[in-house]
Amino acid sequence: MTTTVTGVTDLYPSRGTTEVSVPRQDPVVWGAPDTPGPIGPIPAGDLQAFERDGFLAMEELLGDDEVGVYRRELERLVADPAIRADERSIVESKSMEIRSVFEVHRISEVFARLVRDERVVGRARQILGSDVYVHQSRINVKPGFGASGFYWHSDFETWHAEDGLPNMRTVSVSIALTENHDTNGGLMIMPGSHRTFLGCAGATPEDNYRQSLQMQDAGTPSDEALTDMASQYGIKLFTGRAGSATWFDCNCMHGSGDNITPFPRSNVFIVFNSVENKAVEPFAAPVRRPEFIGARDFTPVK
């Protein structure tokens, strides 16, 4: 059964009484190398791999000098008492160290330039087939010795239910600012999982974002569903040098483990949404999340 929110049909029901599985109703790649107009920097073979797997790993998006610039800016932000006191900073529940800083492209001109870099935004435009705006940006700080992970989830499930994104026309890029080992809590994705939407059971609490940004509860799949998906798709763990990047579709089932090693894992995370997929009211939440988490400024990145 489909419903509508502010006149928009809900193609992906979630947060009901039971868990539901729905085939993807949207394209994965909205643009293509052989279409007229701006082509973009992704070769045809890589674009086909993205469509098939839901992700595209790049060994080097940024050079060593560039990584140094962004890492120093991350360290400056994390050390700034004013940033720590800002509501856009999320702290670890146990250590009380900064876990994430949201809307970093508005806080920092250094990261704003990265968002506008054609190596970054050009790929987003190509995948989504339109101009794009930033739905969310953040730096994730995962220091050694106990930084907690992010449990299995589909970003789109949350962005649809709580932010009101109607369709799967959103892509994320995670750019490593430290080396990603196979032991320090790296990103894991189930290849191909982006073709099935898993609607989670359970209503969304009011102001759910306050808890979910530290430890997600609402919008998490059942153990049974995760076991089925992992058996069907497998799990890919991403490793790579600082400056490597992973592009992934908004509906990929993904997560990361705790980092109990001495080696930090920090990254900048940018979410691009098509200007033709602007957020409406939430599909399964009593109120929208704050704009620093789910943007309502749809100005294209130029």
Side-chain angles (χ1 to χ4, degrees):
M1 179 180 177
T2 58
T3 58
T4 60
V5 173
T6 58
V8 178
T9 300
D10 183 0
L11 299 175
Y12 302 104
S14 192
R15 313 285 174 100
T17 55
T18 59
E19 199 170 52
V20 296
S21 179
V22 178
R24 185 186 186 108
Q25 305 295 303
D26 295 302
V28 177
V29 174
W30 296 72
D34 56 354
T35 54
I39 294 175
I42 306 176
D46 287 347
L47 208 58
Q48 290 165 1
F50 181 88
E51 184 167 20
R52 179 191 67 232
D53 298 328
F55 61 81
L56 176 63
M58 300 182 59
E59 292 183 3
E60 182 176 337
L61 177 66
L62 303 179
D64 292 341
D65 290 346
E66 294 174 297
V67 169
V69 170
Y70 295 119
R71 188 185 296 168
R72 287 191 292 273
E73 181 68 354
L74 178 148
E75 292 168 353
R76 182 189 73 80
L77 293 172
V78 171
D80 187 340
I83 296 297
R84 183 181 181 85
D86 194 294
E87 65 172 344
R88 292 172 286 190
S89 292
I90 310 300
V91 299
E92 291 278 358
S93 57
K94 292 181 180 179
S95 69
M96 300 306 292
E97 293 184 10
I98 287 182
R99 174 185 176 93
S100 301
V101 179
F102 280 80
E103 213 170 44
V104 70
H105 71 295
R106 294 190 181 278
I107 292 174
S108 163
E109 178 54 32
V110 173
F111 284 112
R113 290 197 299 270
L114 179 61
V115 166
R116 297 192 298 266
D117 190 315
E118 277 300 313
R119 293 172 297 175
V120 177
V121 69
R123 285 178 167 87
R125 292 191 193 105
Q126 184 180 8
I127 291 169
L128 301 180
S130 70
D131 279 333
V132 298
Y133 69 93
V134 176
H135 176 70
Q136 184 186 106
S137 73
R138 66 177 187 261
I139 48 173
N140 291 325
V141 185
K142 212 172 193 180
F145 299 118
S148 55
F150 293 85
Y151 196 67
W152 289 105
H153 64 286
S154 154
D155 286 331
F156 179 75
E157 193 280 337
T158 298
W159 299 337
H160 182 71
E162 299 186 41
D163 297 340
L165 294 191
N167 296 97
M168 294 180 184
R169 200 170 178 180
T170 313
V171 67
S172 302
V173 61
S174 174
I175 305 171
L177 300 182
T178 55
E179 185 164 354
N180 284 249
H181 303 283
D182 58 4
T183 53
N184 63 342
L187 174 68
M188 296 180 287
I189 292 179
M190 297 184 188
S193 59
H194 61 303
R195 294 193 173 279
T196 301
F197 174 76
L198 189 65
C200 300
T204 309
E206 191 166 350
D207 284 346
N208 178 57
Y209 78 93
R210 296 184 186 278
Q211 176 183 334
S212 68
L213 297 180
Q214 289 183 324
M215 185 64 65
Q216 189 156 347
D217 185 15
T220 55
S222 67
D223 291 351
E224 294 78 11
L226 287 172
T227 300
D228 288 344
M229 294 183 83
S231 299
Q232 180 178 355
Y233 301 118
I235 296 174
K236 164 73 174 176
L237 170 65
F238 294 88
T239 59
R241 62 176 292 279
S244 61
T246 305
W247 292 85
F248 58 102
D249 178 81
C250 59
N251 192 45
C252 284
M253 189 62 66
H254 67 288
S256 65
D258 296 351
N259 182 14
I260 62 172
T261 75
F263 310 113
R265 175 184 172 263
S266 299
N267 70 300
V268 55
F269 181 75
I270 307 165
V271 181
F272 293 101
N273 188 40
S274 168
V275 296
E276 298 172 13
N277 189 43
K278 297 173 184 175
V280 294
E281 292 304 308
F283 286 87
V287 294
R288 328 169 168 165
R289 298 193 300 175
E291 292 193 24
F292 68 84
I293 302 173
R296 296 278 160 171
D297 180 352
F298 309 129
T299 304
V301 176
K302 297 294 186 184

